[in-house]
Amino acid sequence: MSGVRRLGRRWRRQRPLRTRLTVAASAAVALVAVGVCAAAFFVIRYEMFHQLDLNLTQSATRVIQENRDAGPQVVAGECRYLSAPACAQIAPALPAEDPAHPYLLPVSAPVREVATGDRAPYFSNITLSGKPMRMLTTRLGDDKALQVALRSDSVEKGVRQAAGLLAVIGAAGVLLAAGLGYWVSRTGLAPVARLTATAERIASTRDPRHRIELPPGPPGRQDEVTRLAASFNTMLGELEQSVTAQRRLVADASHELRTPLTALRTNAELLARADRLTDAQRDRAAGALARQLREVTGLVNDLIELARDEEPTPLLEEVRIAALAEHAVAAARAHWPSTPFTLHIAPDAAETVRPGVPARLTRLLTNLLDNAAKFSPEGLPVEVELTASRHAGSESGSESGSGSRPRPRSGERLELTVRDHGPGITTEDLPYVFDRFYRAETARALPGSGLGLAMARQIARAHGADLTAEQAQGGGALFRLTFA
């Protein structure tokens, strides 16, 4: 048996899912069809023989009423004909009381036992003159037994015909079960086949734009396979967006690196001929080379940081946002001496802390302040404000497991705004200000790579915060950083 089971498992592993589902569905339907036919056969057989037994019982009742006081003898002996009434005979309990004329029906020991009352009446099958018979043996008075028999070949013929007809019906049911099993497997696995074909096509073409066709209908009434296909389509959409973003990032990075690298190469070749340059030309070329190296290094570092989605959990600590804002504003004042920076910290926000990486949060604030100072006209201030307000869910925890973003432990919502008085953000540019390498028309001539705001939003999201941009009332741009 273990060898048979191993062969069965090997066969299932070697056959495709559609074949196994077809065989399983066909076997189930075929088993039901064969079972129904077998049950019908036994019911028909029982009913036909039961009807014959009722006829024998009625004949025996009539003979008993007519021959209650008769002795052992053959009462009726014409049952060898198909249309003849039942043949009957009376047999005594003792063989010595048998009549001189031979019996028509066989008298055996069980018949003598019925006559003495030691055995209950019973039905039996016998053969008489080469014809099948059905015989009832019952007690008749004291020490006598009555045997009544009818031909049963017509009943047996009907049973054989019913068996043949049911066998044909069962065979047709098996064939129909095979067809239905194939249809069920083909229909049920059609979405899986489309999913497999789509996955193979994507693997061969490396193009995630392909989708699986879904049957019409509301999402709540879709079956499991359709929901699987819909989830696969969603995954393909996310993969397509990721691949598109990756390609765009590579293309944009290549475009941004082309100019400084070309300038680096030019200045390096120029310095290679330093013997032909004056001291002033050599110093100017060396300064330009150092400045371009810093730009390229900064751009590469920004790209590396943008490639990281989450903050390293071991570096998380409780950060006081007010102190961080004061430090960032002080650094911005030193870096942009011609731009005044104002900082207002609400009293209830001065001591509020959030879990985070101080260096990364400092980078976020620095990018916002540099962006504001870059667009602010000389002499006009950049206004920084930190406020706090109560919000629902004040008792939320700050646990952050591996792969999860930090959550605040305080019940206060912190909001830091950075507002400049420059040209502001146009309606057309507003949806794209946080895209990588995106630069508005008014910013094309300004220094920068277009990665600062994209990096700021990524750092904000990694710390469970939200960074948005809007047009400030009275002109300028307003960036709002909210810690929930």
Side-chain angles (χ1 to χ4, degrees), residues 13-344:
R13 288 195 299 267
Q14 294 175 352
R15 293 298 181 274
L17 179 60
R18 176 176 293 181
T19 301
R20 284 181 283 162
L21 185 58
T22 300
V23 172
S26 301
V29 178
L31 185 63
V32 172
V34 172
V36 170
C37 291
F41 168 75
F42 286 110
V43 169
I44 292 173
R45 182 179 182 277
Y46 170 79
E47 289 296 333
M48 295 183 72
F49 275 99
H50 181 65
Q51 186 62 40
L52 182 61
D53 292 343
L54 289 178
N55 293 337
L56 285 173
T57 302
Q58 292 175 356
S59 299
T61 302
R62 186 179 64 253
V63 171
I64 290 174
Q65 292 175 351
E66 295 176 353
N67 301 275
R68 187 175 299 275
D69 299 326
Q73 60 176 317
V74 175
V75 179
E78 300 298 327
C79 59
R80 63 180 180 274
Y81 300 107
L82 191 60
S83 58
C87 57
Q89 67 182 23
I90 300 173
L94 300 175
E97 298 179 0
D98 288 340
H101 299 287
Y103 289 115
L104 178 64
L105 303 176
V107 178
S108 58
V111 176
R112 307 287 186 181
E113 294 174 0
V114 171
T116 59
D118 296 334
R119 180 169 182 160
Y122 67 93
F123 293 94
S124 59
N125 297 318
I126 62 173
T127 301
L128 184 64
S129 301
K131 304 296 182 181
M133 306 286 290
R134 181 74 168 171
M135 183 176 69
L136 168 63
T137 302
T138 185
R139 193 176 186 189
L140 178 62
D142 296 331
D143 297 330
K144 290 184 293 184
L146 174 65
Q147 295 174 276
V148 183
L150 283 172
R151 283 186 59 173
S152 60
D153 49 351
S154 59
V155 175
E156 293 182 355
K157 181 180 179 180
V159 171
R160 288 194 299 270
Q161 290 177 345
L165 181 61
L166 290 174
V168 173
I169 294 175
V174 171
L175 295 177
L176 180 62
L180 289 176
Y182 177 76
W183 178 80
V184 167
S185 64
R186 185 179 181 86
T187 303
L189 295 178
V192 178
R194 291 196 296 269
L195 189 150
T196 304
T198 302
E200 292 174 348
R201 187 161 59 249
I202 293 173
S204 61
T205 62
R206 297 182 179 274
D207 185 2
R209 291 177 297 177
H210 299 288
R211 295 292 184 272
I212 302 173
E213 295 183 5
L214 300 177
R221 297 184 180 179
Q222 293 176 347
D223 56 19
E224 289 79 1
V225 178
T226 304
R227 290 202 299 270
L228 174 62
S231 300
F232 191 76
N233 282 343
T234 303
M235 183 188 68
L236 289 177
E238 296 293 335
L239 178 61
E240 181 182 3
Q241 292 180 4
S242 176
V243 171
T244 302
Q246 181 183 17
R247 291 174 178 173
R248 186 170 62 248
L249 176 62
V250 172
D252 292 341
S254 301
H255 176 74
E256 293 292 333
L257 286 170
R258 184 179 294 113
T259 299
L261 288 177
T262 302
L264 279 173
R265 180 178 178 181
T266 301
N267 289 317
E269 292 176 350
L270 186 60
L271 288 175
R273 303 182 180 91
D275 55 337
R276 304 179 185 178
L277 303 177
T278 63
D279 292 342
Q281 290 174 334
R282 188 166 49 252
D283 292 341
R284 187 164 57 252
L289 182 62
R291 184 174 63 256
Q292 290 153 3
L293 280 173
R294 286 194 300 271
E295 292 178 1
V296 172
T297 302
L299 179 60
V300 172
N301 289 335
D302 289 345
L303 288 173
I304 293 174
E305 291 187 7
L306 281 172
R308 181 175 58 191
D309 283 338
E310 296 180 351
E311 303 304 323
T313 303
L315 300 182
L316 290 177
E317 58 182 82
E318 297 296 334
V319 180
R320 194 162 65 92
I321 305 300
L324 208 66
E326 292 174 351
H327 175 75
V329 169
R333 286 171 180 160
H335 189 260
W336 302 90
S338 61
T339 302
F341 289 85
T342 63
L343 174 62
H344 173 71

